[in-house]
Amino acid sequence: MNTTNEVIVIDPSIPIIDFVFLSKQFSHRKEVINEVLALFAKNCDEELKNLAFHYQKGDWIAINDIVHKLKGSASYFGFPRLKDQCIKVEK
């Protein structure tokens, strides 16, 4: 895990959401996609609060666990930019 104060650069060429992947992942069902996106947003909000809490404590193991979980969710739900950032943080 990257515990330095190194700046992690966001690659703007990586899309935030891969709508084609997301649509295929959930069989092109808009209502399911909308529910999944709402749940993902709620979960991210909770995880960001957890990240801030563990950062204040300097608990890098907990931070790594949260980032790893976010990376998996980002991969599954089609958020390539978030996945990329999580990979960079895990290094």
Side-chain angles (χ1 to χ4, degrees):
M1 164 147 217
N2 183 352
T3 60
T4 67
N5 288 330
E6 175 183 329
V7 174
I8 297 176
V9 178
I10 296 173
D11 182 351
S13 70
I14 299 173
I16 295 171
I17 301 174
D18 183 342
F19 287 105
V20 173
F21 175 84
L22 184 63
S23 185
K24 287 179 184 177
Q25 187 76 335
F26 296 99
S27 305
H28 309 284
R29 294 172 35 208
K30 281 187 175 183
E31 68 284 346
V32 174
I33 293 169
N34 288 336
E35 288 178 32
V36 164
L37 289 175
L39 185 61
F40 184 78
K42 180 181 176 189
N43 183 56
C44 281
D45 186 49
E46 292 171 15
E47 294 299 1
L48 288 174
K49 290 175 187 173
N50 288 333
L51 280 172
F53 174 78
H54 291 294
Y55 179 78
Q56 292 297 322
K57 290 176 41 181
D59 187 348
W60 299 108
I61 293 172
I63 291 170
N64 189 62
D65 290 345
I66 294 167
V67 169
H68 185 74
K69 188 168 110 175
L70 281 171
K71 181 181 74 175
S73 295
S75 298
Y76 183 76
F77 294 117
F79 293 91
R81 192 179 295 179
L82 177 58
K83 176 185 169 187
D84 181 64
Q85 292 305 108
C86 289
I87 290 168
K88 290 176 182 177
V89 170
E90 281 187 316
K91 287 184 182 180

